[in-house]
Amino acid sequence: MGSTHTTATAAAEAEAYPKPWVETPLIESRALSKAAGCRIFLKLENLQPSGSFKSRGIGNKMLSCLSSSSAMNKTHDQNPQDQKKNSKPHFYSSSGGNAGLACATSATALQCPCTVIVPTSTSAYMIAKIRTAGPSVAVIQHGDSWQEADNFLREEVLPRDAERGVYVPPFDDAEVWKGHATLVQELQAQLSGVPPEAIVCSVGGGGLFAGIMMGLDQVGWSSKVLAMETEGAESLNLSLQRGELVTLDRITSVATTLGAKKVCGKAFEMARSRDSVQSIVLSDAEAAMGCWRLADDERMLVEPACGVSVAVCYDGRLRKLLPGLKRESKVVIVVCGGSNITLDMLVGYRETYGGIEKETITTDDRDVPSTVAVQDAMDGQS
């Protein structure tokens, strides 16, 4: 009886707090549809409060912790002043990337303090983004890598805040997956209950992928899922090839936010056990190309970690991966977003990897705006 009461109280508490994420639009892209030879729909997770899909999973994890904390406090004999003091946890993240930013924006939405431990390699740009996410957000730099920052958080920082401190994992947590599953629930409504032929998503630690697979199970869809990685960050693909979880020695891809040395076990098991899943690895050049072509075609700025999913729409890649696609087939690309991108960075990627565009103009998508832009640029150089 007591457990049931506490669960019900926690559920009621959850409704009392604002959701740290939003329902994002699903738009049909005429340009990408023309390039891919089917109907391409973009799920715009780049419009989340943090600029990436991370707002869903991390926001849900924090909301769950906050609700449970409030519910537990109300089961004890505390005066109102003590309840108010103890009801708000202090959230801690060790990510200098999109997970840290999502923790900061979610904490601000939930009116809770937050501390993000970032490695010294984190760019000043991302540190500024995290710090400006809210007045109760603190940033501490420590260590040369994420692992060193995470160890410092767990071993030094959290023990000093044992009563209120809550660790927020970036991807390997059931509440994180549940948060990401809400993306598919939105798709069900936005597509009027008709499942797409396929969903394309990027894979780093695997939290988004695991959530999408859970969401597909919840709505009863059997859509194919293309799990996209880049060379130098393909921990899922290598694990599937070897039949066991593999830890990469290091991350060499430019898509640094896909840089989990080991994918979470849940994602590995789902990918290994489902025939509907294809693990795909593209080059850094292809991922970067996906970024600048999305900017040309849809005026959106995303990281290479997102560009790798967009890249499959161009140069016949999607038709090769899914040969049964027809013109009317619907494919959803999860535009996962990411905040570690600027115009200067995008220009730099194009300067470094622009040679791949020579392949682009050999395809039959010459009416696609980004293809025309490539042709015009090359004509201007001749």
Side-chain angles (χ1 to χ4, degrees):
M1 179 67 179
S3 175
T4 302
H5 175 73
T6 301
T7 301
T9 304
E13 286 290 334
E15 297 180 359
Y17 296 105
K19 276 196 316 183
W21 69 94
V22 298
E23 178 176 329
T24 56
L26 179 73
I27 66 168
E28 184 169 3
S29 170
R30 299 298 180 184
L32 272 68
S33 296
K34 176 71 175 177
C38 64
R39 299 180 67 185
I40 297 295
F41 290 80
L42 304 178
K43 183 60 171 164
L44 302 182
E45 291 299 286
N46 54 321
L47 299 183
Q48 289 291 352
S50 68
S52 82
F53 73 97
K54 291 283 189 181
S55 289
R56 289 184 189 271
I58 287 178
N60 188 64
K61 170 65 176 179
M62 295 167 69
L63 184 62
S64 173
C65 292
L66 186 58
S67 302
S68 299
S69 175
S70 297
M72 287 301 295
N73 285 334
K74 289 185 178 181
T75 64
H76 299 290
D77 293 329
Q78 291 183 324
N79 61 53
Q81 186 174 7
D82 287 340
Q83 283 188 9
K84 183 176 181 180
K85 177 181 177 181
N86 296 326
S87 64
K88 292 293 182 73
H90 187 131
F91 293 108
Y92 291 88
S93 169
S94 58
S95 167
N98 294 311
L101 186 54
C103 184
T105 56
S106 297
T108 299
L110 297 169
Q111 298 183 355
C112 292
C114 166
T115 298
V116 182
I117 315 297
V118 303
T120 55
S121 58
T122 305
S123 68
Y125 176 73
M126 280 304 294
I127 291 175
K129 281 233 173 198
I130 295 171
R131 280 180 172 154
T132 57
S136 298
V137 176
V139 178
I140 298 174
Q141 290 183 272
H142 183 89
D144 295 330
S145 66
W146 170 81
Q147 190 63 61
E148 290 182 12
D150 190 63
N151 290 342
F152 176 70
L153 169 57
R154 291 171 180 264
E155 297 170 6
E156 301 291 336
V157 179
L158 275 174
R160 295 198 293 263
D161 193 9
E163 291 188 4
R164 298 177 61 207
V166 175
Y167 177 73
V168 181
F171 54 82
D172 196 359
D173 185 273
E175 292 297 332
V176 172
W177 308 330
K178 289 178 184 177
H180 295 320
T182 62
L183 185 152
V184 181
Q185 295 162 10
E186 290 176 16
L187 287 178
Q188 184 185 36
Q190 292 167 329
L191 292 172
S192 302
V194 180
E197 182 72 19
I199 297 175
V200 184
C201 73
S202 300
V203 177
L208 173 61
F209 169 75
I212 287 175
M213 298 305 295
M214 289 176 61
L216 288 173
D217 289 343
Q218 291 168 1
V219 302
W221 285 356
S222 56
S223 302
K224 298 180 178 65
V225 177
L226 301 187
M228 307 299 302
E229 296 176 289
T230 53
E231 295 172 357
E234 69 273 39
S235 57
L236 174 61
N237 187 268
L238 288 176
S239 295
L240 292 173
Q241 288 184 41
R242 300 181 187 179
E244 61 181 4
L245 279 172
V246 171
T247 301
L248 303 178
D249 292 334
R250 60 194 181 99
I251 303 299
T252 59
S253 172
V254 70
T256 54
T257 51
L258 295 183
K261 291 184 178 180
K262 182 169 71 173
V263 73
C264 70
K266 184 73 169 180
F268 171 66
E269 290 301 328
M270 286 182 158
R272 183 170 64 170
S273 63
R274 307 291 182 94
D275 293 335
S276 58
V277 176
Q278 292 185 48
S279 173
I280 309 299
V281 180
L282 299 184
S283 67
D284 277 351
E286 289 172 297
M289 177 272 295
C291 295
W292 70 65
R293 293 199 66 169
L294 184 66
D296 285 344
D297 284 333
E298 293 293 348
R299 306 170 310 283
M300 297 177 190
L301 195 62
V302 298
E303 295 181 10
C306 177
V308 70
S309 288
V310 177
V312 296
C313 296
Y314 299 108
D315 308 326
R317 292 177 179 84
L318 192 58
R319 290 191 293 272
K320 291 177 183 177
L321 294 171
L322 300 172
L325 287 179
K326 301 177 181 178
R327 284 286 176 183
E328 63 273 18
S329 298
K330 297 179 180 179
V331 174
V332 173
I333 309 291
V334 179
V335 183
C336 56
S339 292
N340 193 22
I341 184 70
T342 65
L343 286 174
D344 285 345
M345 292 170 69
L346 189 63
V347 170
Y349 291 147
R350 198 162 199 165
E351 290 175 349
T352 302
Y353 302 112
I356 197 173
E357 293 182 324
K358 294 179 180 179
E359 303 173 10
T360 302
I361 63 170
T362 65
T363 65
D364 60 356
D365 61 352
R366 294 178 184 274
D367 292 333
V368 178
S370 59
T371 306
V372 175
V374 170
Q375 183 66 68
D376 287 347
M378 295 185 71
D379 289 345
Q381 296 172 0
S382 60

